[in-house]
Amino acid sequence: MLSVTSGNAQSIVLASAPERPPMPIVVGNWKMNGLLDSLGEVERIARGVGGTRADVRLALPATLIALAALKGGELTIGAQDVHPEPCGPRTGGIAATMLRDAGARFTLVGHSERRTPQGSDDDSRVAVKLQAARAAGLEVILCVGETADDRRAGKEAAVVEKQIRRALCNVVLGNWLTIAYEPRWAIGSGTLPSLGKIAAMHRTIRSALAAMAGHDVPLLYGGSVSAANAREILSVDSIDGLLVGNASLTADRFVPIVEAAA
Ligand code: PGA
């Protein structure tokens, strides 16, 4: 086990160097959508992507996880958020162990819709959630990304680097971690960053990881991904996969994205 400390005293411990993934990773994020009826759509997605050369995952509302885990075939079912504490008097909270018990294999952490006053995630809460998920045996997709104001001010690299340093401080890295770069202004807006901007941010993320831990994790892009733009986005060398919101809600729109990735 290797321990590395960077100039700013943030420390990451490396258990074993994760490889770049053998297959593209395509994650659907259903957000606050889906009733029991929607399990049919989960099955259609599972059938549609069966046999493709892609690692396909769905981050579902907590209410659907247990049943989807039974019906999702080769799909990996996960959650969208996790409570930072393991149990106790936290009305409405859902702990990582509860998600794992329901059949979740991974969770998103730090999605920009949680990094809002209502969602109440700041960098330190994201770090605690990440550790809670890990302790329960969930894989983590850590979401990072700048706001439109950050980008206008030219602060996007500094903001994302800080999100990564804070989230991964004193964490044992391994192949349980994936990072999704999702510019907040691209989510749900139909507006994409240029391929050059995605590549530049992925370079920033990889060099932040290299400075802290000397190795890589899989990097995704998310924000307004659709079947029409997936192939172009995936032409960026550093991209290991996609995080898809709205276009993951139906098999008709999601399966072609997976096919483009595979
Ligand atoms: P979008 O959402 O694809 O609807 O822009 C992506 C996300 O929020 O993960």
Side-chain angles (χ1 to χ4, degrees):
M1 189 180 286
L2 172 67
S3 175
V4 184
T5 304
S6 72
N8 58 15
Q10 304 280 350
S11 173
I12 284 185
V13 185
L14 175 62
S16 60
E19 303 287 315
R20 298 285 294 275
M23 290 190 280
I25 301 166
V26 186
V27 187
N29 173 13
W30 276 25
K31 308 191 179 188
M32 199 167 66
N33 297 293
L35 301 174
L36 287 183
D37 263 4
S38 320
L39 289 168
E41 207 59 45
V42 172
E43 288 177 296
R44 274 189 285 283
I45 291 172
R47 272 199 305 277
V49 303
T52 50
R53 248 199 96 265
D55 173 354
V56 187
R57 310 181 194 178
L58 282 184
L60 293 177
T63 47
L64 296 183
I65 288 173
L67 285 170
L70 296 175
K71 291 180 173 235
E74 286 169 28
L75 292 177
T76 304
I77 302 298
Q80 301 168 9
D81 188 34
V82 63
H83 196 279
E85 292 172 53
C87 61
R90 297 289 178 264
T91 301
I94 303 181
T97 45
M98 296 158 79
L99 295 168
R100 184 85 172 89
D101 188 48
R105 291 290 168 266
F106 74 93
T107 184
L108 307 182
V109 171
H111 190 279
S112 71
E113 287 156 14
R114 309 295 321 166
R115 294 180 190 257
T116 60
Q118 300 91 314
S120 77
D121 276 0
D122 57 15
D123 285 337
S124 56
R125 194 169 157 89
V126 167
V128 180
K129 286 184 170 188
L130 183 138
Q131 306 234 20
R134 188 58 203 136
L138 292 172
E139 292 188 20
V140 173
I141 299 176
L142 169 66
C143 302
V144 296
E146 80 285 1
T147 63
D149 282 350
D150 294 333
R151 187 162 277 277
R152 267 192 293 276
K155 294 193 300 196
E156 67 276 7
V159 166
V160 169
E161 266 179 52
K162 182 165 152 249
Q163 289 171 344
I164 287 177
R165 272 205 319 274
R166 294 265 172 95
L168 299 180
C169 178
N170 287 330
V171 166
V172 178
L173 287 191
N175 54 12
W176 55 272
L177 179 68
T178 296
I179 294 179
Y181 168 53
E182 296 205 302
R184 216 180 281 190
W185 50 272
I187 293 175
S189 66
T191 308
L192 282 181
S194 67
L195 300 187
K197 283 183 176 147
I198 298 173
M201 186 59 82
H202 276 191
R203 275 196 301 277
T204 299
I205 294 171
R206 288 205 196 280
S207 58
L209 288 170
M212 291 187 290
H215 76 105
D216 251 348
V217 303
L219 289 190
L220 313 183
Y221 168 79
S224 294
V225 174
S226 68
N229 59 30
R231 207 176 291 276
E232 192 191 359
I233 297 170
L234 287 159
S235 70
V236 176
D237 237 17
S238 60
I239 292 188
D240 297 310
L242 301 167
L243 178 50
V244 186
N246 194 266
S248 71
L249 289 172
T250 63
D252 283 355
R253 287 188 295 155
F254 190 49
V255 172
I257 295 175
V258 174
E259 285 169 347

